[in-house]
Amino acid sequence: IRQLVKQRRPRGFPPGPSPIPVIGNIMSLATEPHVFMKKQSEIHGQVRYLNYCGNIWHIMVLNGYDAIRECLYHQGDVFSDRPSLPLFMKMTKMGGLLNAKFGNGWIEHRQLASNSFRYFGRFQKPLDQKILEECMFFVDAIDEHKGKPFNPKHLVTNAVSNITNLIIFGERFTYDNCDFQHMIEIFSENVELAVSGWAFLYNAFPWIEYLPFGKHQKLFRNAAKVYNFLEQIIRRFSEGRVCNFPRHYIDDYLNKLDKSAGDLGTPYSRENLIYSVGELIIAGTETTTNTLRWAMLYMALYPNIQEKVHKEMDSVLGSEKSPSLADKKRMPYVEAVLHEVLRFCNIVPLGIFRATTQDTLVSGYNIPKGTMVITNLYSVHFDEKYWCDPGTFSPHRFLDSNGNFVRREAFLPFSLGKRHCLGEHLARMEMFLFFTTMLQRFHLQFPPGTVPSLTPKLGMTLQPLPYSICAVRRQQ
Ligand code: HEM
């Protein structure tokens, strides 16, 4: 109780807003925390302190490109841990991959997953070919709406999740697989619930687990259902496994597990397999799906930008040739549009929470080991030092005066450093191929007289509110 009432900022920590007794600065994490934190940093500096429920959790917030680069890149090892928040402990016991503590277990799991991604197709078609096959299922399913209004959310989710399904299970699931869809639905509900007020309360007061009400209970029920589903499906797809001939990620993992049998220190376990599979599915699906949903929305909102996309695609591909990864270099405008969607829409606005592995110094402040760190990626993409007029949606900022694509330094949708997004390469392939296949066939427009809200729905990710769109077949 003394801890809760004291509200003292640790010696040497950066300044921050005055905490409210007992709850600290928890309210800063309410409505649009990424916007609030950026505004605060403009007045008080890029490195900020937040008090989370008394002295239970000290949080350092990093705002702007310079501060984030200083920590995640120049002090890579120090900023590569995840905080042992009670919610994360309960969900994955800090094992698996995405939420794993920095150390051998994380290294082994990350390596295994990257190898499965990289060597996908060693016994069958290359991954980009398989993505293109999925793109065809996707555009055919859109065609079934015959240009009438529909909400693209489920279709995009199904198509995108099938790419991770191919890597993890070696198979795609049909768009009418209700069990899989239900699992994804409650899993992504948890991505929202994980940053709800109840989740924050649970992190501060884990004993509320025993209260019979509260949204955290829903989160726990959802997680139990998801793990149960994953356990069954993993068992089904591991049938017929032959050593040295892995068909997919699950076989790869189980081979490692077999090889490490008897080794007491091994990080491989059936439980960690379930956690990693869950993390790969949700990290791969939620993010890429939201990016494509935003991209569709902005194309309908800005017909002049969509027209330029169509023009470029028509000149490079014509109407017959399917897009391929090799065409990417010849489509700088499409690349610029996708980059601007990632910058402007901030799919993972606060990154994934990090923690420090040792005491360190940041901008003259002493930061102790175990401090939770929030990287405000939104503030990087709206950093006035690096972006001119950041509040305007303008793909041209990624083009030079000759129309060539230019990389921008302060562009970190996949974060930075040792724990940067494992799926960046895959996500870039997916976004390009899904987007171009869709726009080659369709013109996107809102149903007459409607313009959807641009306000994002908040969770660990930012997604558009449900909207309807018409995909009208193009006549080239
Ligand atoms: C981590 C963004 C797609 C797998 C992350 C992080 C961000 C991010 C910001 C946090 C990194 C940090 O801790 O600072 C995105 C975006 C995507 C995308 C914007 C799509 C547009 C994917 C895909 C996969 C994936 C397709 C895999 C199927 C992961 C994993 C991590 C991660 C496993 C945790 C890495 C670790 O802790 O070592 N992603 N991601 N992501 N992402 Fe992605």
Side-chain angles (χ1 to χ4, degrees), residues 83-134:
S84 307
L85 289 170
L87 185 65
F88 296 165
M89 301 273 279
K90 185 162 171 81
M91 292 296 125
T92 61
K93 300 181 185 154
M94 306 313 287
L97 162 55
L98 182 141
N99 244 343
K101 294 301 283 177
F102 186 56
N104 189 42
W106 166 74
I107 295 175
E108 294 266 345
H109 280 80
R110 187 163 168 124
Q111 191 94 56
L112 181 74
S114 333
N115 284 345
S116 286
F117 282 29
R118 194 170 314 134
Y119 297 121
F120 176 91
R122 67 200 120 162
F123 304 123
Q124 40 174 320
K125 279 188 193 168
L127 190 52
D128 57 332
Q129 297 294 317
K130 299 293 279 185
I131 298 177
L132 274 171
E133 282 176 19
E134 191 62 45

Short mmCIF file of all heavy atoms in Angstrom, two decimals, residues 83-134:
data_model
loop_
_atom_site.label_atom_id
_atom_site.label_comp_id
_atom_site.label_asym_id
_atom_site.label_seq_id
_atom_site.Cartn_x
_atom_site.Cartn_y
_atom_site.Cartn_z
N PRO A 83 8.94 -7.07 -20.90
CA PRO A 83 8.65 -6.94 -19.47
C PRO A 83 7.83 -8.14 -18.95
O PRO A 83 6.94 -8.61 -19.66
CB PRO A 83 7.80 -5.66 -19.40
CG PRO A 83 7.20 -5.51 -20.76
CD PRO A 83 8.14 -6.16 -21.74
N SER A 84 8.14 -8.60 -17.75
CA SER A 84 7.42 -9.75 -17.20
C SER A 84 6.10 -9.29 -16.58
O SER A 84 5.86 -9.48 -15.39
CB SER A 84 8.27 -10.46 -16.15
OG SER A 84 9.52 -10.77 -16.68
N LEU A 85 5.25 -8.68 -17.38
CA LEU A 85 3.96 -8.22 -16.88
C LEU A 85 3.10 -9.44 -16.54
O LEU A 85 3.14 -10.45 -17.25
CB LEU A 85 3.24 -7.40 -17.96
CG LEU A 85 3.80 -6.02 -18.27
CD1 LEU A 85 3.16 -5.43 -19.52
CD2 LEU A 85 3.59 -5.08 -17.09
N PRO A 86 2.31 -9.35 -15.46
CA PRO A 86 1.48 -10.50 -15.07
C PRO A 86 0.65 -11.06 -16.22
O PRO A 86 0.50 -12.27 -16.35
CB PRO A 86 0.60 -9.93 -13.96
CG PRO A 86 1.44 -8.86 -13.35
CD PRO A 86 2.22 -8.26 -14.48
N LEU A 87 0.13 -10.19 -17.10
CA LEU A 87 -0.69 -10.68 -18.20
C LEU A 87 0.13 -11.56 -19.15
O LEU A 87 -0.30 -12.63 -19.57
CB LEU A 87 -1.31 -9.51 -18.97
CG LEU A 87 -2.28 -9.90 -20.07
CD1 LEU A 87 -3.51 -10.58 -19.49
CD2 LEU A 87 -2.71 -8.69 -20.89
N PHE A 88 1.35 -11.08 -19.49
CA PHE A 88 2.21 -11.86 -20.38
C PHE A 88 2.63 -13.18 -19.71
O PHE A 88 2.73 -14.22 -20.35
CB PHE A 88 3.47 -11.08 -20.78
CG PHE A 88 3.20 -9.83 -21.57
CD1 PHE A 88 4.18 -8.86 -21.73
CD2 PHE A 88 1.97 -9.61 -22.18
CE1 PHE A 88 3.95 -7.70 -22.47
CE2 PHE A 88 1.72 -8.47 -22.92
CZ PHE A 88 2.71 -7.50 -23.05
N MET A 89 2.89 -13.08 -18.38
CA MET A 89 3.29 -14.29 -17.65
C MET A 89 2.16 -15.32 -17.73
O MET A 89 2.38 -16.49 -17.91
CB MET A 89 3.53 -13.97 -16.17
CG MET A 89 4.59 -12.94 -15.92
SD MET A 89 6.18 -13.70 -15.82
CE MET A 89 6.14 -14.25 -14.14
N LYS A 90 0.94 -14.82 -17.57
CA LYS A 90 -0.20 -15.75 -17.57
C LYS A 90 -0.43 -16.33 -18.97
O LYS A 90 -0.74 -17.51 -19.12
CB LYS A 90 -1.46 -15.02 -17.09
CG LYS A 90 -2.64 -15.96 -16.95
CD LYS A 90 -3.74 -15.39 -16.10
CE LYS A 90 -4.98 -16.26 -16.15
NZ LYS A 90 -4.95 -17.42 -15.29
N MET A 91 -0.24 -15.50 -20.00
CA MET A 91 -0.53 -15.96 -21.35
C MET A 91 0.53 -16.93 -21.87
O MET A 91 0.20 -17.94 -22.46
CB MET A 91 -0.60 -14.76 -22.33
CG MET A 91 -1.78 -13.85 -22.11
SD MET A 91 -3.30 -14.74 -22.44
CE MET A 91 -4.16 -14.49 -20.95
N THR A 92 1.82 -16.61 -21.72
CA THR A 92 2.86 -17.45 -22.34
C THR A 92 4.02 -17.78 -21.40
O THR A 92 5.04 -18.29 -21.87
CB THR A 92 3.45 -16.76 -23.59
OG1 THR A 92 4.05 -15.53 -23.18
CG2 THR A 92 2.41 -16.46 -24.65
N LYS A 93 3.86 -17.47 -20.14
CA LYS A 93 4.93 -17.74 -19.15
C LYS A 93 6.27 -17.18 -19.62
O LYS A 93 7.33 -17.75 -19.33
CB LYS A 93 5.04 -19.24 -18.89
CG LYS A 93 3.73 -19.81 -18.34
CD LYS A 93 3.86 -21.27 -18.05
CE LYS A 93 2.51 -21.82 -17.62
NZ LYS A 93 2.33 -23.22 -17.89
N MET A 94 6.23 -16.14 -20.44
CA MET A 94 7.41 -15.48 -21.01
C MET A 94 8.25 -16.45 -21.85
O MET A 94 9.46 -16.28 -22.02
CB MET A 94 8.30 -14.83 -19.94
CG MET A 94 7.59 -13.86 -19.01
SD MET A 94 6.54 -12.67 -19.84
CE MET A 94 7.71 -11.58 -20.59
N GLY A 95 7.58 -17.48 -22.39
CA GLY A 95 8.26 -18.43 -23.29
C GLY A 95 7.81 -18.13 -24.71
O GLY A 95 7.44 -17.00 -25.03
N GLY A 96 7.78 -19.14 -25.58
CA GLY A 96 7.39 -18.93 -26.97
C GLY A 96 8.42 -18.08 -27.69
O GLY A 96 9.63 -18.22 -27.45
N LEU A 97 7.96 -17.13 -28.51
CA LEU A 97 8.89 -16.34 -29.34
C LEU A 97 8.70 -14.84 -29.13
O LEU A 97 9.58 -14.15 -28.62
CB LEU A 97 8.65 -16.73 -30.80
CG LEU A 97 9.15 -15.84 -31.93
CD1 LEU A 97 10.63 -15.56 -31.78
CD2 LEU A 97 8.90 -16.49 -33.27
N LEU A 98 7.54 -14.34 -29.47
CA LEU A 98 7.32 -12.89 -29.47
C LEU A 98 7.42 -12.30 -28.06
O LEU A 98 7.92 -11.21 -27.86
CB LEU A 98 5.93 -12.63 -30.08
CG LEU A 98 5.46 -11.21 -30.23
CD1 LEU A 98 4.72 -11.07 -31.56
CD2 LEU A 98 4.53 -10.79 -29.11
N ASN A 99 6.93 -13.06 -27.09
CA ASN A 99 6.92 -12.57 -25.72
C ASN A 99 8.04 -13.13 -24.87
O ASN A 99 8.08 -12.91 -23.66
CB ASN A 99 5.59 -12.97 -25.07
CG ASN A 99 4.78 -11.77 -24.73
OD1 ASN A 99 5.33 -10.66 -24.67
ND2 ASN A 99 3.51 -11.95 -24.51
N ALA A 100 8.96 -13.86 -25.51
CA ALA A 100 9.98 -14.57 -24.72
C ALA A 100 10.97 -13.59 -24.09
O ALA A 100 11.30 -12.55 -24.68
CB ALA A 100 10.73 -15.54 -25.63
N LYS A 101 11.50 -13.95 -22.93
CA LYS A 101 12.57 -13.17 -22.32
C LYS A 101 13.78 -13.24 -23.25
O LYS A 101 13.99 -14.23 -23.95
CB LYS A 101 12.95 -13.74 -20.95
CG LYS A 101 11.88 -13.66 -19.89
CD LYS A 101 11.40 -12.27 -19.58
CE LYS A 101 12.33 -11.44 -18.73
NZ LYS A 101 11.77 -10.04 -18.57
N PHE A 102 14.60 -12.19 -23.22
CA PHE A 102 15.80 -12.14 -24.07
C PHE A 102 16.79 -13.18 -23.54
O PHE A 102 17.14 -13.16 -22.37
CB PHE A 102 16.39 -10.73 -23.97
CG PHE A 102 17.55 -10.47 -24.88
CD1 PHE A 102 17.43 -10.66 -26.24
CD2 PHE A 102 18.76 -10.02 -24.38
CE1 PHE A 102 18.50 -10.41 -27.10
CE2 PHE A 102 19.83 -9.75 -25.22
CZ PHE A 102 19.70 -9.94 -26.58
N GLY A 103 17.22 -14.09 -24.36
CA GLY A 103 18.15 -15.12 -23.90
C GLY A 103 18.10 -16.29 -24.86
O GLY A 103 17.57 -16.18 -25.97
N ASN A 104 18.64 -17.40 -24.39
CA ASN A 104 18.80 -18.55 -25.29
C ASN A 104 17.47 -19.05 -25.88
O ASN A 104 17.38 -19.35 -27.06
CB ASN A 104 19.50 -19.68 -24.51
CG ASN A 104 19.88 -20.79 -25.44
OD1 ASN A 104 20.36 -20.51 -26.55
ND2 ASN A 104 19.63 -22.02 -25.04
N GLY A 105 16.43 -19.10 -25.04
CA GLY A 105 15.13 -19.60 -25.52
C GLY A 105 14.62 -18.75 -26.67
O GLY A 105 14.17 -19.27 -27.70
N TRP A 106 14.72 -17.44 -26.52
CA TRP A 106 14.26 -16.53 -27.59
C TRP A 106 15.11 -16.73 -28.85
O TRP A 106 14.58 -16.84 -29.96
CB TRP A 106 14.33 -15.07 -27.11
CG TRP A 106 14.20 -14.10 -28.24
CD1 TRP A 106 13.07 -13.81 -28.94
CD2 TRP A 106 15.25 -13.36 -28.85
NE1 TRP A 106 13.35 -12.90 -29.95
CE2 TRP A 106 14.69 -12.61 -29.90
CE3 TRP A 106 16.62 -13.23 -28.60
CZ2 TRP A 106 15.44 -11.75 -30.71
CZ3 TRP A 106 17.37 -12.37 -29.40
CH2 TRP A 106 16.77 -11.65 -30.44
N ILE A 107 16.46 -16.80 -28.66
CA ILE A 107 17.34 -16.95 -29.83
C ILE A 107 16.96 -18.21 -30.61
O ILE A 107 16.79 -18.18 -31.83
CB ILE A 107 18.83 -17.03 -29.40
CG1 ILE A 107 19.28 -15.71 -28.78
CG2 ILE A 107 19.75 -17.40 -30.58
CD1 ILE A 107 20.68 -15.69 -28.21
N GLU A 108 16.82 -19.32 -29.89
CA GLU A 108 16.51 -20.60 -30.56
C GLU A 108 15.17 -20.54 -31.29
O GLU A 108 15.04 -20.99 -32.42
CB GLU A 108 16.45 -21.73 -29.51
CG GLU A 108 17.78 -22.02 -28.85
CD GLU A 108 18.55 -23.14 -29.54
OE1 GLU A 108 17.95 -23.86 -30.33
OE2 GLU A 108 19.76 -23.26 -29.27
N HIS A 109 14.16 -19.94 -30.63
CA HIS A 109 12.83 -19.89 -31.26
C HIS A 109 12.81 -18.95 -32.47
O HIS A 109 12.15 -19.22 -33.46
CB HIS A 109 11.75 -19.50 -30.23
CG HIS A 109 11.32 -20.66 -29.39
ND1 HIS A 109 12.05 -21.11 -28.31
CD2 HIS A 109 10.25 -21.49 -29.49
CE1 HIS A 109 11.44 -22.16 -27.78
NE2 HIS A 109 10.35 -22.41 -28.47
N ARG A 110 13.52 -17.85 -32.36
CA ARG A 110 13.55 -16.90 -33.48
C ARG A 110 14.25 -17.52 -34.69
O ARG A 110 13.80 -17.43 -35.81
CB ARG A 110 14.21 -15.59 -33.04
CG ARG A 110 14.09 -14.53 -34.11
CD ARG A 110 14.34 -13.13 -33.63
NE ARG A 110 14.48 -12.27 -34.79
CZ ARG A 110 13.78 -11.18 -35.05
NH1 ARG A 110 12.87 -10.77 -34.21
NH2 ARG A 110 13.97 -10.48 -36.15
N GLN A 111 15.37 -18.18 -34.38
CA GLN A 111 16.15 -18.84 -35.45
C GLN A 111 15.33 -19.91 -36.16
O GLN A 111 15.30 -19.98 -37.39
CB GLN A 111 17.37 -19.52 -34.79
CG GLN A 111 18.41 -20.00 -35.76
CD GLN A 111 19.47 -18.94 -35.93
OE1 GLN A 111 20.06 -18.54 -34.93
NE2 GLN A 111 19.68 -18.47 -37.12
N LEU A 112 14.66 -20.71 -35.37
CA LEU A 112 13.86 -21.80 -35.95
C LEU A 112 12.76 -21.25 -36.86
O LEU A 112 12.55 -21.73 -37.98
CB LEU A 112 13.24 -22.64 -34.82
CG LEU A 112 12.40 -23.81 -35.26
CD1 LEU A 112 13.28 -24.94 -35.78
CD2 LEU A 112 11.54 -24.34 -34.13
N ALA A 113 12.08 -20.20 -36.37
CA ALA A 113 11.00 -19.62 -37.18
C ALA A 113 11.57 -19.00 -38.45
O ALA A 113 11.05 -19.22 -39.55
CB ALA A 113 10.22 -18.59 -36.37
N SER A 114 12.69 -18.23 -38.34
CA SER A 114 13.24 -17.61 -39.57
C SER A 114 13.65 -18.68 -40.56
O SER A 114 13.46 -18.51 -41.76
CB SER A 114 14.48 -16.77 -39.35
OG SER A 114 14.59 -16.24 -38.15
N ASN A 115 14.22 -19.80 -40.08
CA ASN A 115 14.62 -20.86 -41.01
C ASN A 115 13.41 -21.46 -41.70
O ASN A 115 13.44 -21.71 -42.91
CB ASN A 115 15.39 -21.96 -40.28
CG ASN A 115 16.81 -21.50 -39.98
OD1 ASN A 115 17.28 -20.51 -40.54
ND2 ASN A 115 17.48 -22.18 -39.08
N SER A 116 12.33 -21.67 -40.96
CA SER A 116 11.12 -22.23 -41.58
C SER A 116 10.60 -21.29 -42.65
O SER A 116 10.11 -21.72 -43.68
CB SER A 116 10.02 -22.43 -40.54
OG SER A 116 10.30 -23.51 -39.75
N PHE A 117 10.69 -19.98 -42.39
CA PHE A 117 10.22 -19.00 -43.38
C PHE A 117 11.13 -19.05 -44.61
O PHE A 117 10.68 -19.09 -45.73
CB PHE A 117 10.29 -17.58 -42.81
CG PHE A 117 9.17 -17.23 -41.87
CD1 PHE A 117 8.55 -18.20 -41.10
CD2 PHE A 117 8.73 -15.93 -41.74
CE1 PHE A 117 7.53 -17.88 -40.22
CE2 PHE A 117 7.70 -15.59 -40.87
CZ PHE A 117 7.11 -16.58 -40.10
N ARG A 118 12.45 -19.06 -44.32
CA ARG A 118 13.42 -18.94 -45.41
C ARG A 118 13.41 -20.18 -46.29
O ARG A 118 13.49 -20.09 -47.50
CB ARG A 118 14.82 -18.73 -44.82
CG ARG A 118 15.82 -18.26 -45.85
CD ARG A 118 17.15 -17.82 -45.25
NE ARG A 118 17.02 -16.95 -44.08
CZ ARG A 118 17.71 -17.12 -42.96
NH1 ARG A 118 18.58 -18.10 -42.83
NH2 ARG A 118 17.57 -16.29 -41.95
N TYR A 119 13.32 -21.33 -45.66
CA TYR A 119 13.42 -22.57 -46.45
C TYR A 119 12.07 -23.11 -46.88
O TYR A 119 11.98 -24.22 -47.37
CB TYR A 119 14.22 -23.63 -45.68
CG TYR A 119 15.62 -23.17 -45.44
CD1 TYR A 119 16.14 -23.05 -44.16
CD2 TYR A 119 16.44 -22.79 -46.52
CE1 TYR A 119 17.43 -22.58 -43.95
CE2 TYR A 119 17.72 -22.34 -46.32
CZ TYR A 119 18.22 -22.24 -45.04
OH TYR A 119 19.48 -21.77 -44.83
N PHE A 120 11.02 -22.29 -46.71
CA PHE A 120 9.72 -22.73 -47.19
C PHE A 120 9.85 -23.00 -48.69
O PHE A 120 10.45 -22.23 -49.42
CB PHE A 120 8.64 -21.66 -46.96
CG PHE A 120 7.31 -22.07 -47.53
CD1 PHE A 120 6.40 -22.75 -46.75
CD2 PHE A 120 6.99 -21.82 -48.86
CE1 PHE A 120 5.20 -23.17 -47.27
CE2 PHE A 120 5.79 -22.23 -49.39
CZ PHE A 120 4.89 -22.91 -48.59
N GLY A 121 9.29 -24.05 -49.13
CA GLY A 121 9.33 -24.31 -50.56
C GLY A 121 10.51 -25.15 -50.97
O GLY A 121 10.71 -25.40 -52.15
N ARG A 122 11.32 -25.61 -49.97
CA ARG A 122 12.50 -26.41 -50.36
C ARG A 122 12.03 -27.71 -51.02
O ARG A 122 12.72 -28.30 -51.80
CB ARG A 122 13.41 -26.66 -49.17
CG ARG A 122 12.84 -27.54 -48.08
CD ARG A 122 13.54 -27.37 -46.76
NE ARG A 122 12.57 -26.93 -45.75
CZ ARG A 122 12.72 -27.01 -44.45
NH1 ARG A 122 13.84 -27.44 -43.96
NH2 ARG A 122 11.78 -26.61 -43.63
N PHE A 123 10.81 -28.17 -50.63
CA PHE A 123 10.32 -29.41 -51.24
C PHE A 123 9.12 -29.16 -52.17
O PHE A 123 8.50 -30.07 -52.64
CB PHE A 123 9.91 -30.42 -50.16
CG PHE A 123 11.03 -30.71 -49.20
CD1 PHE A 123 10.86 -30.50 -47.84
CD2 PHE A 123 12.25 -31.17 -49.66
CE1 PHE A 123 11.89 -30.76 -46.95
CE2 PHE A 123 13.29 -31.43 -48.77
CZ PHE A 123 13.11 -31.23 -47.42
N GLN A 124 8.73 -27.90 -52.29
CA GLN A 124 7.60 -27.62 -53.19
C GLN A 124 7.82 -26.27 -53.87
O GLN A 124 8.94 -25.91 -54.15
CB GLN A 124 6.28 -27.67 -52.42
CG GLN A 124 6.39 -27.03 -51.03
CD GLN A 124 5.08 -26.94 -50.31
OE1 GLN A 124 4.08 -26.63 -50.92
NE2 GLN A 124 5.09 -27.20 -49.01
N LYS A 125 6.72 -25.55 -54.18
CA LYS A 125 6.88 -24.28 -54.90
C LYS A 125 7.43 -23.18 -53.99
O LYS A 125 7.16 -23.19 -52.80
CB LYS A 125 5.50 -23.81 -55.36
CG LYS A 125 5.02 -24.46 -56.61
CD LYS A 125 3.75 -23.76 -57.06
CE LYS A 125 3.07 -24.58 -58.11
NZ LYS A 125 1.73 -24.13 -58.40
N PRO A 126 8.14 -22.17 -54.55
CA PRO A 126 8.61 -21.05 -53.72
C PRO A 126 7.42 -20.27 -53.14
O PRO A 126 6.32 -20.31 -53.69
CB PRO A 126 9.39 -20.18 -54.69
CG PRO A 126 9.48 -20.91 -55.97
CD PRO A 126 8.56 -22.07 -55.94
N LEU A 127 7.70 -19.58 -52.05
CA LEU A 127 6.62 -18.92 -51.30
C LEU A 127 5.86 -17.88 -52.13
O LEU A 127 4.63 -17.79 -52.05
CB LEU A 127 7.20 -18.27 -50.04
CG LEU A 127 6.21 -17.75 -49.03
CD1 LEU A 127 5.17 -18.80 -48.64
CD2 LEU A 127 6.90 -17.26 -47.76
N ASP A 128 6.60 -17.09 -52.96
CA ASP A 128 5.88 -16.06 -53.72
C ASP A 128 4.87 -16.68 -54.69
O ASP A 128 3.79 -16.14 -54.93
CB ASP A 128 6.84 -15.09 -54.42
CG ASP A 128 7.80 -15.80 -55.35
OD1 ASP A 128 8.11 -16.97 -55.09
OD2 ASP A 128 8.22 -15.18 -56.34
N GLN A 129 5.20 -17.87 -55.20
CA GLN A 129 4.24 -18.57 -56.09
C GLN A 129 3.00 -18.98 -55.31
O GLN A 129 1.88 -18.87 -55.80
CB GLN A 129 4.89 -19.86 -56.65
CG GLN A 129 6.10 -19.61 -57.53
CD GLN A 129 5.71 -18.87 -58.79
OE1 GLN A 129 4.72 -19.19 -59.40
NE2 GLN A 129 6.48 -17.86 -59.15
N LYS A 130 3.22 -19.45 -54.09
CA LYS A 130 2.08 -19.87 -53.26
C LYS A 130 1.24 -18.65 -52.86
O LYS A 130 0.01 -18.74 -52.80
CB LYS A 130 2.56 -20.60 -51.99
CG LYS A 130 3.35 -21.86 -52.26
CD LYS A 130 2.53 -22.96 -52.87
CE LYS A 130 1.70 -23.74 -51.90
NZ LYS A 130 1.00 -24.89 -52.55
N ILE A 131 1.90 -17.51 -52.62
CA ILE A 131 1.14 -16.30 -52.27
C ILE A 131 0.27 -15.90 -53.47
O ILE A 131 -0.89 -15.55 -53.32
CB ILE A 131 2.07 -15.14 -51.85
CG1 ILE A 131 2.87 -15.50 -50.60
CG2 ILE A 131 1.26 -13.86 -51.59
CD1 ILE A 131 3.87 -14.45 -50.14
N LEU A 132 0.86 -16.01 -54.66
CA LEU A 132 0.09 -15.65 -55.86
C LEU A 132 -1.13 -16.55 -56.04
O LEU A 132 -2.19 -16.10 -56.46
CB LEU A 132 0.99 -15.72 -57.10
CG LEU A 132 1.76 -14.42 -57.36
CD1 LEU A 132 2.79 -14.62 -58.45
CD2 LEU A 132 0.81 -13.28 -57.74
N GLU A 133 -0.97 -17.83 -55.70
CA GLU A 133 -2.13 -18.73 -55.78
C GLU A 133 -3.23 -18.25 -54.84
O GLU A 133 -4.41 -18.22 -55.19
CB GLU A 133 -1.72 -20.16 -55.38
CG GLU A 133 -0.99 -20.89 -56.49
CD GLU A 133 -0.49 -22.29 -56.05
OE1 GLU A 133 -1.00 -22.84 -55.05
OE2 GLU A 133 0.43 -22.77 -56.71
N GLU A 134 -2.82 -17.84 -53.63
CA GLU A 134 -3.81 -17.34 -52.66
C GLU A 134 -4.46 -16.05 -53.17
O GLU A 134 -5.65 -15.83 -52.98
CB GLU A 134 -3.13 -17.10 -51.30
CG GLU A 134 -4.08 -16.83 -50.16
CD GLU A 134 -5.02 -18.00 -49.88
OE1 GLU A 134 -4.58 -19.15 -49.85
OE2 GLU A 134 -6.23 -17.73 -49.70
#
